[in-house]
């Protein structure tokens, strides 16, 4: 994968530093290679396997069967077809299932880039990730994901594809060894069958020989025609979206006229992005993308051994299309489009529709009654010159919109209303030469989905906050083998899901995540030789597990090694209060 961070210069730097391992992970306990590091240890040559503070995926105590779906070495695979096999549910665990878990285990040694990768089952993208970068001795990492929502596809034999485009040559020697297992946990009296959608429809290009995901260039959109069930009642779209090239770190892009003054360091197009969804060209919903940093991004030593948030287990975005269900159930094909608005470079996007139908009616009908979502946000950009030749850039926007529609079902009319409010600001102090940027981005809002049926009103609310601060400096940049880069990065993700049964009832907390990673790193090369490299980081996670229990864990690292790992007691109410305070 062709990686970019802040400046165009770092495209080359990331190639030159590929021999210096960058690790990060969504993983379990510390994997110590020996004794704790001595002061002054160099994480470029000696650091532990990836680790993060996230709660593990729970495993129910019930009968289960595991299938090794992939055990393959990915050498030179860039431009080739994805690894393809057939995934079949095991005879002894045919379902129904309480849970299905995908486990990804990877290892690599030598010299290599980070790579974007994904797993597709029946054409639907069930897992997106990016890989770690190795050192000569190699590193290993593991990620687990609950894929129970895809049970409608998993119950039958399906084509499984694993896309990981890699390059191996005399310089870049790292071969990614990937093992993928799927474990099926049978339902029983204590572990009831999971509730899932009736059917799943992938939006990707499932008919081609390549990976189903879709690549979208600047100003582009995807378009997939779908004929929906005639008795449709609910529709949810799960969307993946990651930028490439200059848009790998889109949040530090500057206005194009400013970028032209320092093309070796700056990317244009401004920093605001949103993922828009349309139905037959009509705005139908949107999501704010999380500011992901790849394992080779900004300064590689930032992420040793704690990865950036979303690095190894990319979270998808949910778009509720139920207000359109009555329209979509007319038996005609409808175009579903995904647009990475504001994109200044290529994006890799994909989507899967999760559909529910009326078991007691052959047809449903309805219409959209309200839609205030516009195609284009109003983005305000102000550039203020400084006395020292620097430029202060301020970008802000926000939205408040509502879409409402109803479906006539066997249970009567069901009305669904989706409302969203959010605010976005990005400030960036850019030095005269473009080699130093100090950026602060704040992106927060909420989406509320309200359902009215026979006089009863239920609601679900999803609140998010994605703050990120980056101070990046390149004191020296001669070429790919001579440079000095350093950075401090703090990123946070806050997610709070609440629900209410009946309009008179209080909101109940269903899930909360408050995850913060704070890292510092530097890397200096002269004549292609590393002169100095170091990093330190902390991660603090507080939130709920997938079973609803409160989970709190904090990590501290230095020189590429964990120096402190602590789990502590917490209360969900306290976590929610602190998370919403920001």
């Amino acid at each position: 994968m062709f990686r970019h961070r802040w400046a165009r210069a770092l495209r080359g730097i990331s190639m030159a530093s590929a021999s210096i391992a960058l690790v990060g992970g969504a993983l379990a306990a510390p994997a110590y290679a020996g004794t704790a590091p001595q002061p002054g240890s160099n994480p470029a040559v000696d650091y532990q396997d990836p680790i993060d503070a996230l709660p593990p995926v729970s495993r129910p105590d019930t009968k289960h069967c595991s299938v090794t779906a992939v055990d393959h070495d990915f050498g030179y695979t860039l431009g080739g077809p994805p690894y393809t096999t057939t995934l079949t549910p095991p005879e002894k665990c045919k379902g129904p299932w309480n849970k299905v878990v995908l486990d990804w285990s990877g290892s690599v040694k030598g010299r290599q880039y980070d790579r974007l990768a994904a797993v597709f089952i029946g054409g639907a993208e069930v897992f997106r990730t990016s890989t770690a970068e190795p050192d000569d001795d190699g590193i290993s990492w593991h990620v687990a994901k609950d894929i129970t929502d895809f049970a409608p596809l998993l119950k039958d034999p399906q084509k499984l594809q694993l896309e990981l485009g890699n390059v191996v040559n005399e310089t870049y020697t790292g071969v990614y060894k990937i093992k993928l297992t799927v474990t099926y946990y049978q339902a029983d009296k204590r572990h009831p069958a999971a509730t899932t959608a009736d059917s799943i429809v992938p939006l990707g290009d499932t008919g081609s020989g390549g990976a189903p995901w879709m690549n979208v260039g600047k100003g582009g959109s995807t378009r997939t025609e779908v004929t929906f069930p005639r008795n449709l009642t609910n529709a949810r779209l799960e969307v993946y979206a990651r930028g490439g090239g200059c848009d790998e770190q889109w949040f530090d892009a500057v206005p194009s006229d400013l970028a032209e003054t320092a093309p070796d360091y700056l990317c244009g197009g401004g920093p605001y992005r949103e993922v828009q969804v349309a139905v037959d060209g009509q705005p139908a919903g949107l999501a704010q993308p999380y500011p992901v940093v790849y394992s080779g991004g900004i300064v590689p030593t930032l992420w040793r051994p704690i990865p950036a948030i979303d690095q190894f287990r990319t979270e998808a975005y949910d778009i509720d299309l139920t207000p359109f269900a009555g329209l979509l159930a007319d038996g005609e094909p409808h175009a579903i489009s995904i647009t990475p608005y504001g994109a200044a470079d290529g994006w890799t996007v994909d989507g899967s529709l999760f559909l529910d139908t009326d078991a007691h009616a052959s047809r449903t009908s309805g219409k959209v009654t309200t839609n205030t979502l516009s195609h284009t946000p109003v983005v305000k950009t102000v550039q203020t010159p400084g006395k020292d030749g620097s430029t202060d850039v301020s970008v802000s926007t926000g939205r408040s919109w509502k879409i409402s529609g109803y479906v006539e079902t066997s249970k009567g009319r069901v009305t669904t209303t989706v409302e969203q409010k959010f605010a976005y600001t990005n400030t960036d102090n850019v030095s005269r030469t473009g080699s130093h940027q100090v950026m602060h981005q704040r992106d927060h809002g909420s989406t509320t989905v309200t359902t009215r049926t026979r006089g009863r009103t239920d609601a679900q609310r999803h609140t998010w906050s994605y703050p990120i601060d980056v101070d990046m400096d390149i004191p020296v940049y001669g070429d790919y083998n001579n440079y000095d880069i350093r950075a401090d990065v703090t990123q946070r993700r806050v997610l709070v899901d609440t629900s209410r049964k009946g309009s008179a009832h209080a909101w109940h907390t269903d899930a909360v995540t408050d995850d913060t990673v704070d890292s510092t790193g530097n890397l200096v090369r002269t004549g292609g030789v590393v002169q100095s490299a170091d990093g330190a980081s902390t991660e603090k996670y507080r939130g709920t597990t997938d079973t609803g229990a409160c989970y709190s864990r904090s990590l501290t690292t230095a020189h590429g090694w964990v120096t402190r790992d602590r789990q502590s007691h917490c209360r969900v109410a306290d976590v929610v209060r602190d998370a919403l305070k920001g």
Side-chain angles (χ1 to χ4, degrees), residues 148-337:
T148 312
D149 283 350
F150 292 89
L153 288 176
L154 301 174
K155 64 184 179 180
D156 299 312
Q158 297 283 358
K159 180 167 69 173
L160 183 147
Q161 298 164 285
L162 196 161
E163 170 68 8
L164 198 169
N166 191 30
V167 172
V168 174
N169 54 32
E170 292 181 355
T171 303
Y172 300 102
T173 59
V175 173
Y176 283 102
K177 299 177 180 294
I178 305 298
K179 184 176 181 179
L180 194 73
T181 62
V182 180
T183 304
Y184 305 79
Y185 295 87
Q186 286 286 103
D188 58 25
K189 291 182 178 180
R190 294 189 304 115
H191 307 90
T195 301
T196 65
D198 294 331
S199 63
I200 298 172
V201 178
L203 294 186
D205 185 4
T206 59
S208 72
W213 58 16
M214 298 164 283
N215 296 306
V216 180
K218 179 179 179 180
S221 300
T222 69
R223 176 186 169 90
T224 307
E225 289 200 346
V226 179
T227 300
F228 291 80
R230 295 300 303 270
N231 59 343
L232 182 68
T233 57
N234 294 278
R236 175 176 68 88
L237 176 62
E238 184 178 275
V239 178
Y240 283 102
R242 265 201 187 191
C246 264
D247 269 22
E248 282 195 18
Q249 273 78 244
W250 46 266
F251 43 85
D252 93 292
V254 300
S256 296
D257 59 339
L258 180 59
E260 290 172 357
T261 67
D264 286 339
Y265 294 102
L266 302 175
C267 287
Y272 182 67
R273 306 290 183 270
E274 64 182 32
V275 182
Q276 301 176 341
V277 174
V279 173
D280 297 327
Q282 181 179 0
L286 59 86
Q288 303 303 110
Y290 187 79
V292 180
V293 182
Y294 290 76
S295 62
I298 305 181
V299 179
T301 53
L302 288 165
W303 318 117
R304 300 187 179 120
I306 297 174
I309 296 172
D310 228 40
Q311 193 177 99
F312 284 164
R313 187 173 64 198
T314 298
E315 299 293 340
Y317 310 107
D318 280 342
I319 309 292
D320 198 318
L321 299 180
T322 305
F324 293 83
L327 171 68
L328 298 172
D330 62 1
E332 299 296 323
H334 293 273
I336 308 298
S337 302

Side-chain angles (χ1 to χ4, degrees), residues 30-37 45-49 135 137-139 560-562:
Y32 291 103
T35 58
V45 296
D46 185 22
Y47 54 89
Q48 70 173 76
D49 286 346
D135 62 5
D137 293 334
I139 54 94
W561 293 74
V562 172

Side-chain angles (χ1 to χ4, degrees), residues 272 274 377-380 396-401 421-424:
Y272 182 67
E274 64 182 32
V378 178
V379 181
K380 181 181 179 181
S396 61
T397 188
R399 284 190 185 250
S400 178
W401 54 269
K421 296 180 180 180
F422 71 82
Y424 169 95

Side-chain angles (χ1 to χ4, degrees), residues 191-543:
H191 307 90
T195 301
T196 65
D198 294 331
S199 63
I200 298 172
V201 178
L203 294 186
D205 185 4
T206 59
S208 72
W213 58 16
M214 298 164 283
N215 296 306
V216 180
K218 179 179 179 180
S221 300
T222 69
R223 176 186 169 90
T224 307
E225 289 200 346
V226 179
T227 300
F228 291 80
R230 295 300 303 270
N231 59 343
L232 182 68
T233 57
N234 294 278
R236 175 176 68 88
L237 176 62
E238 184 178 275
V239 178
Y240 283 102
R242 265 201 187 191
C246 264
D247 269 22
E248 282 195 18
Q249 273 78 244
W250 46 266
F251 43 85
D252 93 292
V254 300
S256 296
D257 59 339
L258 180 59
E260 290 172 357
T261 67
D264 286 339
Y265 294 102
L266 302 175
C267 287
Y272 182 67
R273 306 290 183 270
E274 64 182 32
V275 182
Q276 301 176 341
V277 174
V279 173
D280 297 327
Q282 181 179 0
L286 59 86
Q288 303 303 110
Y290 187 79
V292 180
V293 182
Y294 290 76
S295 62
I298 305 181
V299 179
T301 53
L302 288 165
W303 318 117
R304 300 187 179 120
I306 297 174
I309 296 172
D310 228 40
Q311 193 177 99
F312 284 164
R313 187 173 64 198
T314 298
E315 299 293 340
Y317 310 107
D318 280 342
I319 309 292
D320 198 318
L321 299 180
T322 305
F324 293 83
L327 171 68
L328 298 172
D330 62 1
E332 299 296 323
H334 293 273
I336 308 298
S337 302
I338 303 172
T339 303
Y341 174 83
D345 212 324
W347 282 63
T348 303
V349 302
D350 200 4
S352 297
L353 288 162
F354 293 76
L355 309 178
D356 290 322
T357 54
D358 192 331
H360 303 288
S362 59
R363 292 189 180 185
T364 55
S365 61
K367 67 177 182 178
V368 177
T369 56
T370 303
N371 190 345
T372 66
L373 178 58
S374 61
H375 284 280
T376 306
V378 178
V379 181
K380 181 181 179 181
T381 301
V382 177
Q383 298 185 56
T384 305
K387 293 181 180 180
D388 59 354
S390 67
T391 302
D392 286 315
V393 182
S394 174
V395 179
S396 61
T397 188
R399 284 190 185 250
S400 178
W401 54 269
K402 176 166 62 175
I403 301 176
S404 186
Y406 68 84
V407 184
E408 300 288 359
T409 74
S410 61
K411 296 181 180 180
R413 176 173 291 190
V414 180
T415 301
T416 302
T417 302
V418 179
E419 298 176 88
Q420 187 180 90
K421 296 180 180 180
F422 71 82
Y424 169 95
T425 60
N426 181 296
T427 61
D428 193 352
N429 178 262
V430 184
S431 68
R432 178 183 57 82
T433 62
S435 63
H436 187 195
Q437 288 181 267
V438 181
M439 186 279 302
H440 306 282
Q441 180 169 287
R442 298 294 180 267
D443 186 355
H444 59 90
S446 65
T447 304
T448 303
V449 179
T450 305
T451 304
R452 294 192 301 275
T453 309
R454 292 180 176 177
R456 178 183 174 88
T457 301
D458 298 333
Q460 294 180 319
R461 183 172 60 199
H462 174 70
T463 301
W464 76 89
S465 179
Y466 300 154
I468 183 170
D469 302 304
V470 183
D471 184 338
M472 172 68 185
D473 192 17
I474 310 174
V476 176
Y477 176 65
D479 55 32
Y480 298 163
N481 291 313
N482 298 275
Y483 56 80
D484 180 348
I485 55 176
R486 55 192 67 178
D488 298 301
V489 179
T490 300
Q491 58 175 178
R492 187 181 182 193
R493 176 161 57 193
V494 174
L495 305 173
V496 182
D497 292 332
T498 55
S499 60
R500 182 168 63 187
K501 299 293 184 182
S503 57
H505 291 77
W507 290 93
H508 174 268
T509 300
D510 299 313
V512 57
T513 292
D514 189 352
D515 190 13
T516 301
V517 173
D518 189 355
S519 300
T520 184
N522 68 277
L523 177 60
V524 179
R525 272 181 179 266
T526 302
V529 178
V530 175
Q531 301 300 312
S532 65
D534 207 352
S537 60
T538 62
E539 181 179 17
K540 182 178 181 181
Y541 177 93
R542 298 179 74 210

Side-chain angles (χ1 to χ4, degrees), residues 71-100:
D71 192 352
H72 186 71
D73 295 351
F74 290 80
Y76 198 115
T77 56
L78 188 66
Y83 177 89
T84 302
T85 186
T86 299
L87 179 66
T88 301
E91 286 291 331
K92 294 182 179 180
C93 296
K94 283 192 170 182
W97 303 301
N98 172 262
K99 197 168 195 175
V100 184

